[in-house]
Amino acid sequence: MEKMSRVTTALGGSALTGRTMHCHLDAPANAISVCRDAAQVVVAGRSIFKIYAIEDEQFVEKLNLRVGRKPSLNLSCADVVWHQMDENLLATAATNGVVVTWNLGRPSRNKQDQLFTEHKRTVNKVCFHPTEAHVLLSGSQDGFMKCFDLRRKDSVSTFSGQSESVRDVQFSIRDYFTFASTFENGNVQLWDIRRPDRCERMFTAHNGPVFCCDWHPEDRGWLATGGRDKMVKVWDMTTHRAKEVHCVQTIASVARVKWRPECRHHLATCSMMVDHNIYVWDVRRPFVPAAMFEEHRDVTTGIAWRHPHDPSFLLSGSKDSTLCQHLFRDASQPVERANPEGLCYGLFGDLAFAAKESLVSAESGRKPCAGDRRHPIFFKRKLDPAEPFVGLASSALSVFEMEPGSGSMSWFVDTAERYALAGRPLAELCDHNAKVARELGRNQVAQTWTMLRIIYSSPGLASAASLNHSVGKGSSCGLPLMNSFNLKDMAPGLGSETRLDRSKGDTRSDTVLLDSSTTLITNEDNEETEGSDVPADYLLGDVEGEEDELYLLDPEHAHPEEPEYVLPQEAFPLRHEIVDTPPGPEHLQDKADSPHVSGSEADAASLAPVDSSFSLISVSHALYDTRLPPDFFSALVCDMLRFYAEQGDVQMAVSVLIVLGERVRKDIDEQTQEHWYTSYIDLLQRFCLWNVSNQVVKLSTSRAISCLNQASTTLHVNCSHCKRPMSSRGWAVARARGAGGPDGGAELRGGTSGRPQLLRIRAALRLLQTRHPAGPHRQLEVPGSVLPRKAPGLIWGQHGSPEHCQYLLLPESGPALPGVCGSPAASPGPYLPGQRHPVFLWG
Amino acid sequence: MRLATTANEAYTASLAVSELLGCKQCGGGRGQDEELGIRIPRPLGHGPSRFIPEKEILQVGSEDAQMHTLFADSFAALGRLDNITLVMVFHPQYLESFLKTQHYLLQMDGPLPLHYRHYIGIMAAARHQCSYLVNLHVNDFLHVGGDPKWLNGLENAPQKLQNLGELNKVLAHRPWLITKEHIEGLLKAEEHSWSLAELVHAVVLLTHYHSLASFTFGCGISPEIHCDGGHTFRPPSVSNYCICDITNGNHSVDEMQVNSAGNVSVSDSFFEVEALMEKMRQLQECRDEEEASQEEMASRFEIEKRESMFVFSSDDEEVTPARDVSRHFEDTSYGYKDFSRHGMHVPTFRVQDYCWEDHGYSLVNRLYPDVGQLIDEKFHIAYNLTYNTMAMHKDVDTSMLRRAIWNYIHCMFGIRYDDYDYGEINQLLDRSFKVYIKTVVCTPEKVTKRMYDSFWRQFKHSEKVHVNLLLIEARMQAELLYALRAITRYMT
């Protein structure tokens, strides 16, 4: 009732009543217009031209203006307008270029009044002067606008748009002499009706045709324009240069735009194609429509507010041959469906988290996680009680920054750059990579590489890793290396005494071990007596280990004997952890050359090097010579790769995969491999490691991956001085991805006129990357189609400063909702043709 | 080796390719190989086009910086400088847009895998038995890793591509028959179904290659040297014309005759131009005075539409397809048929209700980003291209003539502009020109040099190529309009 009373005052006593309703027309409508009494609406189309009375419960056909049996193109209307001063006066624009006026006061059945056949092409728009009774303006495809005085037979003046087609003309509501016209080439012109020789002002508003414009009913300076580029822009025309004050990005080209009466910041739009809904936007909140009308089944072609002072009734005509009256209170509000929650990592490890404000405040007492520094919430806007969204979907965004250094991924970068993946024998590759890993302090990885070397390249070293294998089985968690070597890696955590004890025992066992016949039993004794911190499984079922069985092992029967293998292997690394003698190469040499050494020698030798694996070799070599083919380990290695991948070290998984090549590839399914590759390549590219990523792509055997190199290898290169794209010569550096400079491909030498020129392409590369974060072959299909993520999500555009960072909300249902965090004034910049805008993850 | 001896800067790039390929086939040094008994392919010396004398196409050193850049870009993108490029360079502004679009369609990010794209190109070109394009794309198809088995015919390709065959046929010959059921059939074929984005990509490719086939025949593009029919193993002294030219009636004797005929009738054709200009002037002046009635206008369109189907060349030579691959894709039982010849009633397509600028563009750009923009630009350039010349006259406003050609082609496809007086077409386009247009657009494989020579005799070759650009773009737009309208209807 409160609403009603307000309406009543606005209308000066005669309140509008009605309900949401529709009526079927005989043919698709092209345009509608409302009589100033707000009780009649005219609908025009190719084969319809009727006046309907708007009653409380229904539309009632009042008059059919198409008279006569002969179909005439003069009646094929592209546009219709009802005079706002004179209830009897209408004008239509015909597709064949004729402008017709209609006088409802004529007594005959044919109400046609005047016929102007001056335009050579389709007339797109007609417009009456808001206060002058006899002035009519038309805009046509032939590039001319004509002003007619209805008291005369011909046009009064002609305005030339320089052969560009005119799509819309609108008289200014406040300035008596001014009108705006929009053009197919994206321009908007302002004309003084008295000066047909040239326009007062011209500016480019959109990329591609500007289909419509509308002057603000109260604010004299504001003009809203809508274009094929899916934008609605609001221009402030009072300043010297037209200034874009608001911009709304819709999901389809904008066919009509109409300011909402009595609501300063609201406007209604409908689209030309694909999208059938009518949206009412608050231009200050350009990402989520304030209201949405979903009645039509085909594109909406005409919209009109029923009364210039009533904001709650909207009329619309559509290609689906219906005429609708929408009530604002029946509108659906997309904001209710928006799910304002999301989580996303930024480029440098920052974490952004948006949630419903209520949830955040409820948890405000919560102590922030250690190591996280809560960033001031820069996202929260001052709430304006006039806004329609209050309380509906206000969300708070928190950004957790990485503490400098803590999230450092320098090891990743170093590793990626220094690893050798191909071009040398396997053993060398493994050694090299182990060395790299060790130098970066990643001992577990280093060990893994060493193990791999042992498994796959040393002659007859199978057994060394078979021990490993058995450990894995024994611990039955599929993470063999973690268990066996982590002990060493985590050494600081262990009591030093324990280690000393163990090492003593181990040393002893080692000595004995050389005498192969007694080894196992002794070892077991050791372990048991020490009561080590090794999981108990290791010690199970051990005793029945018979030597013969051991030696005749074949892969199928490996499992029962697991524990026996455990023990010697377990022993050595622990011991060497303690022994701190620097490694001597000659010692290693010795061991390799003469594995069968006496007990004391072996002891000395294996005590000397820090690198435990070599001591392992020396021992195991003696023990199990070429018993097991490397194939035997592939299942194990695959487990290991999966383990690394699951731990998030996809780098290791992929590197090993590449280095080992055929040896393991067949054991891992193609899809998993592809997944690893894409993740790793994605990571590499985030760190601008173009060379490495290119190498990885090249070395990959997965077809889906290697074709990444075949497509979209073009770089968009901008000149380092003028920042403009060097399109004409761009091909010279096309396909150059990966051919970068020392800083990871940030700079390339490209050439014009023979003089080498430094081209800064990092920015270009970033943009390239953000284009299709989901991979090359995905695109938006239809609005409202299933989005890639079932769960709600938030995706950052990698663009701009934190204050202007764009994001995209993916609600559980409905279209994705883009947004910008930052100051309320922040809006996407003006569209520049040719500039690449960030493209978000469309499914 | 005329090509080699007349090598000039403009040809260096193309020679580099053709020699490379030539050498690959002959396997090394020429002189020695002849002694070894290896057959050396020689180009059949026609230049890039059989219709246009080689010397007309690019004069020595006449290419300017813009053309040079275009050649460089084209070479970098395709790895060759094909004859189409060499002929289109008459209109560098258009060529640039054309190459950009084609490059995007074939090589840049898109919903379809690379080999699919070339295969669709082959399917489309084969509809018009265009062995030139088929050959080019067979090579490209294999190059990007396509399965050679597919080339044995559409039935060897995946079911998904086979499903596209029907659309290809209808689109090429009777696009007005496309309905949303066609679209639905493709999109809802369970595991063989197309996604909307893929379908739009495919439709753009199909229409692109249908119209490119028109250009190839319309300008008499010669086969590339490395393709079938592009070279001969005979010594040059024995034969210097192409076998297939004989069957086409295009051999050099014929050329001589036409040339001499042209000389005799110089005065005739001079008047032809004068008369055309006079008509344009009259139409311009009297347009505002006398207005035809509504019925008159409507019937003019119907008349033009009806007449357009009787416009056909009298000589019905059958051209035998040259390449095996092409033959596998043909279904010659299905060709261009005019609207009402079989009593079929096709409602007129009103461009005011569904046009490229408002509707087609939005749909394409939505489903296959950036491509709408590229095609839109290409249409614009083709439609607005003018040098304000007509034959020997300068400073002529040719917009009326260009619009007549464009609308005539759309009229043949049943597309009507409410705001156009179709009477103009009859005034401006004479019969031989209509025959040429009709043949190039609807049955390009039947174009002969005689047809090419017999229209607009006084006009320059570059102007005839210009006409061809209008023809192919108008055709492409017409096909796209029908296909996209069907997709739109499916979506709503």
Side-chain angles (χ1 to χ4, degrees), chain A residues 149-404:
Chain A
D149 186 324
L150 300 185
R151 291 162 295 195
R152 295 167 60 171
K153 288 186 79 100
D154 299 314
S155 63
V156 185
S157 45
T158 301
F159 310 87
S160 167
Q162 309 299 331
S163 79
E164 270 301 328
S165 301
V166 186
R167 298 307 299 245
D168 199 356
V169 282
Q170 291 292 338
F171 273 113
S172 166
I173 294 168
R174 299 282 151 151
D175 290 327
Y176 186 86
F177 294 113
T178 307
F179 73 90
S181 54
T182 72
F183 292 85
E184 206 145 82
N185 64 353
N187 285 347
V188 171
Q189 292 181 352
L190 237 56
W191 291 83
D192 187 318
I193 200 89
R194 297 161 295 186
R195 296 196 54 185
D197 52 327
R198 60 175 196 85
C199 66
E200 297 290 299
R201 190 192 281 184
M202 180 170 87
F203 60 95
T204 302
H206 291 265
N207 180 33
V210 190
F211 288 139
C212 53
C213 65
D214 194 32
W215 289 95
H216 198 283
E218 293 147 39
D219 207 314
R220 69 191 291 144
W222 278 16
L223 179 73
T225 58
R228 195 174 69 177
D229 59 1
K230 307 180 191 173
M231 306 265 218
V232 179
K233 292 182 181 178
V234 179
W235 303 88
D236 183 356
M237 311 293 273
T238 50
T239 49
H240 178 60
R241 288 185 56 180
K243 193 175 126 225
E244 186 190 320
V245 281
H246 292 291
C247 177
V248 176
Q249 175 122 38
T250 67
I251 59 170
S253 50
V254 182
R256 311 268 169 173
V257 57
K258 283 272 180 281
W259 287 101
R260 186 176 175 204
E262 310 281 307
C263 293
R264 201 181 131 86
H265 289 102
H266 283 201
L267 47 78
T269 67
C270 65
S271 85
M272 186 79 86
M273 272 293 284
V274 190
D275 186 15
H276 311 157
N277 300 338
I278 303 164
Y279 300 100
V280 178
W281 301 88
D282 183 321
V283 292
R284 296 161 303 174
R285 300 297 300 268
F287 305 111
V288 184
M292 188 158 94
F293 300 102
E294 301 166 297
E295 278 83 359
H296 289 298
R297 300 274 73 88
D298 201 339
V299 285
T300 309
T301 46
I303 48 176
W305 294 96
R306 191 169 151 192
H307 190 277
H309 293 290
D310 187 329
S312 48
F313 292 86
L314 179 68
L315 297 163
S316 69
S318 158
K319 277 251 159 87
D320 66 3
S321 307
T322 54
L323 172 68
C324 274
Q325 173 170 270
H326 312 274
L327 249 64
F328 212 78
R329 63 164 185 267
D330 295 334
S332 75
Q333 294 190 306
V335 73
E336 281 173 347
R337 278 183 268 158
N339 193 335
E341 274 158 51
L343 185 70
C344 190
Y345 275 107
L347 184 58
F348 300 105
D350 298 349
L351 180 71
F353 172 63
K356 264 208 174 103
E357 217 172 357
S358 52
L359 292 176
V360 174
S361 54
E363 282 179 82
S364 58
R366 179 180 58 104
K367 199 177 133 216
C369 297
D372 285 341
R373 184 157 57 83
R374 181 155 242 186
H375 197 274
I377 297 173
F378 52 73
F379 183 61
K380 213 173 145 188
R381 293 158 34 87
K382 206 163 59 177
L383 294 175
D384 177 353
E387 277 186 42
F389 290 174
V390 175
L392 274 173
S394 56
S395 60
L397 178 72
S398 320
V399 173
F400 301 93
E401 283 184 332
M402 292 302 286
E403 238 170 87

Side-chain angles (χ1 to χ4, degrees), chain A residues 463-731:
Chain A
S463 48
S466 86
L467 302 171
N468 210 350
H469 174 74
S470 47
V471 171
K473 297 294 177 192
S475 62
S476 72
C477 65
L479 312 178
L481 294 169
M482 191 62 172
N483 282 331
S484 57
F485 287 96
N486 257 6
L487 290 175
K488 180 186 159 216
D489 289 337
M490 301 186 305
L494 295 169
S496 52
E497 298 97 325
T498 331
R499 281 189 292 135
L500 272 174
D501 286 348
R502 282 177 58 88
S503 68
K504 271 179 210 151
D506 290 345
T507 314
R508 183 155 45 83
S509 76
D510 189 27
T511 322
V512 188
L513 190 65
L514 289 165
D515 187 348
S516 57
S517 56
T518 55
T519 305
L520 294 166
I521 294 139
T522 332
N523 238 330
E524 257 139 57
D525 292 344
N526 272 332
E527 288 290 351
E528 282 192 314
T529 48
E530 275 167 21
S532 73
D533 49 359
V534 181
D537 332 16
Y538 288 3
L539 314 171
L540 290 179
D542 26 9
V543 220
E544 68 266 20
E546 288 162 51
E547 298 149 27
D548 292 352
E549 224 179 314
L550 265 180
Y551 293 140
L552 297 174
L553 252 183
D554 48 337
E556 287 79 20
H557 301 107
H559 302 283
E561 286 74 36
E562 283 163 6
E564 286 83 358
Y565 295 88
V566 169
L567 301 168
Q569 186 269 342
E570 178 83 68
F572 303 125
L574 287 170
R575 183 197 56 196
H576 292 300
E577 182 68 26
I578 302 301
V579 178
D580 210 4
T581 326
E586 53 280 285
H587 280 138
L588 298 176
Q589 211 58 42
D590 286 344
K591 278 183 294 161
D593 290 343
S594 55
H596 297 269
V597 285
S598 74
S600 58
E601 266 175 347
D603 204 2
S606 51
L607 277 169
V610 152
D611 190 337
S612 56
S613 60
F614 286 102
S615 67
L616 262 179
I617 299 170
S618 67
V619 179
S620 51
H621 208 162
L623 266 176
Y624 321 110
D625 197 58
T626 60
R627 294 287 160 176
L628 299 169
D631 266 2
F632 176 69
F633 303 101
S634 50
L636 172 68
V637 174
C638 294
D639 279 349
M640 177 202 76
L641 293 186
R642 286 199 192 94
F643 160 72
Y644 274 113
E646 272 162 32
Q647 292 289 303
D649 190 1
V650 75
Q651 181 179 49
M652 185 66 186
V654 171
S655 303
V656 171
L657 201 58
I658 291 175
V659 168
L660 294 184
E662 284 303 333
R663 293 175 188 87
V664 289
R665 195 180 303 135
K666 56 186 180 304
D667 297 311
I668 301 173
D669 67 292
E670 188 79 2
Q671 225 172 352
T672 313
Q673 289 191 35
E674 210 179 296
H675 182 65
W676 291 351
Y677 273 118
T678 42
S679 319
Y680 187 40
I681 290 166
D682 192 49
L683 265 175
L684 288 171
Q685 296 188 344
R686 272 182 179 240
F687 286 96
C688 296
L689 297 162
W690 309 108
N691 291 333
V692 185
S693 98
N694 197 45
Q695 195 195 10
V696 169
V697 171
K698 222 168 103 188
L699 290 171
S700 79
T701 47
S702 162
R703 200 175 157 73
I705 300 300
S706 47
C707 77
L708 290 181
N709 244 0
Q710 314 299 312
S712 62
T713 47
T714 309
L715 287 180
H716 297 274
V717 180
N718 288 8
C719 175
S720 56
H721 294 295
C722 62
K723 310 287 184 219
R724 266 183 303 213
M726 304 184 53
S727 56
S728 63
R729 297 284 168 171
W731 65 273

Side-chain angles (χ1 to χ4, degrees), chain A residues 46 95 122 167 251 731 777, chain B residues 73 110 352 358 366 418-419:
Chain A
R46 172 170 291 284
T95 51
T122 300
R167 298 307 299 245
I251 59 170
W731 65 273
H777 302 313
Chain B
D73 286 345
Q352 265 77 8
D358 294 2
R366 164 176 222 98
D418 284 346
D419 51 2

